[in-house]
Structure formats: C-alpha cells, structure tokens
Amino acid sequence: MKSSVALIVLEEIGSRKRASLTLPRRGSKFARLGKAQLPATALILGLAAPSNAQVIPSTTEQLSAPWNAQRVFEPSTLPDLADPETRNEIQPEDMPVRKRQQPGYEPVGIRAGSWMFSPKLMSGALYDSNVFSSNTTKRSDIAAVVEPSLRAHTLWERHGLDLKLDAQSTIYNENSSLDQTNARLRGNGWFDIAHDLAVLANVQIAHLNEGVGTLSSPVNAISPTPYDLFSGDLTVRKEFNRLTTSVGMRVDSYDFGQTRAQDGSIINQDGRDGQIYSLHSRVDYAFSPVLGWFAGVEGNQRNIRGTPAQTLDSQGYRALSGFTVGFGNLLSGEFGAGYAQQRFDAASIGTIEGPAYRAMLTWRPTRMLDVHFKAEQIVTQTSDTSSTGVLANAFQLGVDYELRRNVIVSLAGGYENDRFFGQQRKDKVTTSDARIKYLMNRYGSISVFHRYTDRNSDSPAFSFDKHQVGINVTAQF
C-alpha cells in the first residue's frame, strides 16, 4: 500500500458508472477520446499524493476497465453484456455526480490534427490551523497555491496516448520553510494487438515533496522532504468472453533529499532511496450483469538502502479475492478478503503479515445523490520506503449531491484505527471533508472546502489536529 508516496490515481473523462469490460475496438467510443460523452476511459496516471495522517487514503474513486488491470486491488465495474450495436448511450444524469459533464460545461480543448490539448490553471488560497501538524507548537498560516497543467491525448481510431504535464507551487505567508514546488510528467498509453488483447503502459517522471505531518515524515521536521520519482508499468490484458485476465510488471525508483529539523539541523533521508519491483495479476469473471468474481495478487521485491547498521530490503505479496455486485444505477460495489505479508531481511524488523479485507459500495437513491461507503483492513507499511509496519482498519462514508446542474456538494467522514509493529503505539484518526464546487461555464469554476484531521496517538509526539479551509479558482479551455 502506498500511503504517503506515489499513488496511482485516475482521471475519468465522463466515465460511465457501469463501464464495459470490452477492450477498445476500431471506431469505438473508447478510441475517440476527444468526445465529451466518452463512456469508459479511466486513465491511470502516476501522482504523488500525501495521505496526511492516514495509512489508508480517503478516496472512493473507482477504476473502469481496462485500467483496473494495473491497479489490481482497486474495484472494477461490471460489464455491460448487451450487444454493442444496440447498447444505449449513457446520459449525463446516469453518470456519477462528481464525474458527469453537463452540456454547456464540458471543456472545449484545442485540436491539432489527431491530438487534443487541454490547458488548465488553478489558483487558490489555503488557511491551515496547524501547519507543522504538531501537538506542542501549533502555528497557523495562509498559503497561496498555483497549479498549471497541460493535457494532450490522441484521437486515433486504434491505440492511444495520454500525456499530462503539471506543476504545483505552495507558498506560505509566514512559514517559508514549508514552501514547496512539485512538477511531474505523466504518460499513459495502450496498444491494441487484437479486439480482445491489449498492452497497457504508464510512466511518470516527477520531483515531489512529502508533506510535514505525513506518517513517514520525520516527527521534528519543519519543511517538506523532497524526492525524485520514476515509475513505470507494463501490462498485458486479455479477454475470453466473460473472463478477463491481466498480468504486468512495475518499477518505482525513489531518490530522497533532506529536510530540516526544528533545531536547524539537517535530517538526511538517503536511507529511503531505492527501487521497488512488482509483478501483478488480476482475473475478473462476470456471472451476469449484476454479479462477478475477481482475484488479484501482487508480489514485490524492495531494494531500499537503509543504514550501514540495518538494511531495509524486503520481499512480500498481497492477495485479495471476492465479488463484484451491480444493480443498475441503484447499487454497485465490491467485497474482498485476502492476506498480506512483507518479510524484511533485517532480523530486528522481521515479518509483517496478516489478513486483509475490503468492502466498497456506492448507493444512488436518486440521480442527484451518490452515497459512498468503504471499509478496509490492511497490513502494510507507513510508506514503501519505511520499516514501520501498521495494522490499519478504516471506515469512510461520503455523499455527493447535485444541488443544481452546475453546483456539486460533497461531504465525507472517516475513522481509522492504526496499530504499529515494533513499538507500543496505537493511533485513532478522525477526518472530515466538505466541498462545494460551482461551475460558472465551460471555461471556469470555483470551489471552497474545509478539511479536518484529528490524530490521537498513544505517543503524544504524534498527536495533532488541524483545520484547513481554502478556495480554488480554475480556468480551463
């Protein structure tokens, strides 16, 4: 589980709630990426996102096929088994509330031959009541955030490329040690060998920062920890009627810099440098349009530098299997259980292992309201390059409400219980998130948000609470 470093996240271009498991065919809507009504193009793009105080990120995003093949532990949607020639178009009101694109509010884009370019600029302001995530030294501050991005994707009938270049600068008013700039180039592509066989690939090159207060950040750090990341994944996906299989490999390479402590000393993080090699495979079988079975397994070899006294090299795996359900637009989700193990070469760390489960449900009582629920237990580390083991149980509940066609209200809350291996420490984390997004037109939007985090730990040095309130203005074309 990647908790405070590279996470794969998805960008959906008007993805349907019940995307077909069928691979893109000649002339299919999947291949025509430029159209706003594109039904099932969930693109996996590498992105480093801090999990703040949580081991399990608070997200309810779902991946549509075929891109769940590279995220084997993320839920997939059941296939639409109807004849593609007679299948009805998915209307905007039948898509998830946060993903639907109402007519008149979709971005325009700039077309150049067989490429479509989509520039975007987000700027905003943020108030943080506890910028250092500290239990003793609580300081509040305001920050300016600027995030330009440029996405380019192909409009080819077969195959495809999707590229995104973006940066994010955060500048604090009083605590300049917290200033940070992230920059990344992400690429995603697919190659159709046949109508039921495809090769999927993604790559990321990035300079990122691990925020103060994340679980793997040094406790007494007063500035973010910078690191460079290279990651790539290559997967082959094959369909056999109702059975879909995939197998792939991934590499993540980390190069950490240094951060600064409260007393002004330098905290060197070179011991977290290294590479992680992974093999993964997933199988999905659709019994019917409302019930399916899945199984996913991933093995890894982690070569982490560590210290002269202790290596952080380890080997491990995670396996999960269960059922996918979907009752039209009313209820959909996935239930799974399995086991995870990470065996460290250092005898002082030993083996971290245990059972794991996950349940994710989306209930749509009306077309204007989505209710999301997630329950998960994992045995993992605070980050891929850390030696701290955690048994985490998390429960999350969220709602998305379409107040008007151009006004979306989102509320979410979560509770997590973390038990740490190798130390007498138990943490309880409570979070809440409230957001309102107003779409002015197809060229701009405004959103306001409030986030609250409360970590209550047996070790007082790790306890803190904070409020974050912000406003963002986005311009796009």
Side-chain angles (χ1 to χ4, degrees), residues 112-297:
S114 60
W115 284 82
M116 182 69 76
F117 296 87
S118 303
K120 181 184 294 186
L121 175 64
M122 189 277 286
S123 61
L126 169 71
Y127 167 79
D128 192 325
S129 66
N130 188 358
V131 294
F132 294 110
S133 301
S134 173
N135 188 35
T136 56
T137 307
K138 293 187 177 182
R139 294 184 182 178
S140 61
D141 202 352
I142 58 175
V145 181
V146 180
E147 185 174 347
S149 65
L150 175 63
R151 177 171 175 259
H153 63 274
T154 60
L155 304 174
W156 304 334
E157 288 295 313
R158 293 189 64 190
H159 321 307
L161 290 175
D162 193 291
L163 305 174
K164 187 172 183 181
L165 176 65
D166 62 65
Q168 183 188 66
S169 292
T170 305
I171 303 172
Y172 285 82
N173 182 46
E174 297 180 354
N175 299 277
S176 59
S177 67
L178 293 171
D179 294 352
Q180 59 178 282
T181 297
N182 297 326
R184 52 192 164 239
L185 173 63
R186 298 170 280 172
N188 192 90
W190 61 95
F191 180 80
D192 298 336
I193 299 176
H195 74 278
D196 56 359
L197 178 64
V199 176
L200 314 175
N202 67 55
V203 65
Q204 177 184 194
I205 302 173
H207 174 77
L208 304 166
N209 287 270
E210 192 175 64
V212 173
T214 56
L215 282 176
S216 51
S217 175
V219 179
N220 58 343
I222 61 170
S223 62
T225 304
Y227 65 97
D228 296 322
L229 170 67
F230 169 81
S231 64
D233 190 293
L234 190 65
T235 299
V236 177
R237 185 176 185 272
K238 170 68 176 176
E239 291 182 7
F240 303 90
N241 296 321
R242 298 189 180 194
L243 177 68
T244 304
T245 62
S246 70
V247 61
M249 61 182 301
R250 180 177 182 84
V251 60
D252 299 285
S253 179
Y254 298 90
D255 184 7
F256 280 83
Q258 58 190 24
T259 184
R260 188 173 296 275
Q262 295 177 1
D263 59 5
S265 61
I266 299 299
I267 305 175
N268 195 310
Q269 295 285 280
D270 286 347
R272 297 173 60 190
D273 295 352
Q275 290 75 42
I276 300 171
Y277 305 95
S278 304
L279 292 175
H280 57 79
S281 181
R282 180 180 173 105
V283 177
D284 286 274
Y285 183 80
F287 297 109
S288 71
V290 300
L291 180 64
W293 168 83
F294 78 94
V297 62

Side-chain angles (χ1 to χ4, degrees), residues 316-360:
Y317 70 90
R318 186 184 181 193
L320 202 67
S321 181
F323 295 93
T324 303
V325 297
F327 299 96
N329 286 325
L330 179 63
L331 184 69
S332 62
E334 194 167 277
F335 306 86
Y339 201 81
Q341 181 187 90
Q342 196 69 29
R343 187 182 302 275
F344 286 84
D345 292 350
S348 58
I349 302 175
T351 300
I352 302 170
E353 62 182 333
Y357 66 80
R358 186 191 62 222
M360 295 185 69

Side-chain angles (χ1 to χ4, degrees), residues 1-6 55 210 214-219 254 256 269-276 300 302-307 310-315 342-346 349-350 352 379-390 420-421 423 425 462:
M1 177 75 180
K2 297 177 173 68
S3 60
S4 58
V5 292
V55 175
E210 192 175 64
T214 56
L215 282 176
S216 51
S217 175
V219 179
Y254 298 90
F256 280 83
Q269 295 285 280
D270 286 347
R272 297 173 60 190
D273 295 352
Q275 290 75 42
I276 300 171
N300 67 77
R302 301 179 180 180
N303 300 329
I304 309 300
R305 177 182 296 181
T307 65
Q310 177 176 275
T311 178
L312 293 181
D313 292 350
S314 65
Q315 309 81 38
Q342 196 69 29
R343 187 182 302 275
F344 286 84
D345 292 350
I349 302 175
I352 302 170
V379 177
T380 185
Q381 299 163 264
T382 55
S383 77
D384 283 338
T385 55
S386 169
S387 61
T388 302
V390 181
F420 290 75
F421 291 80
Q423 53 182 299
R425 176 185 170 189
F462 296 97

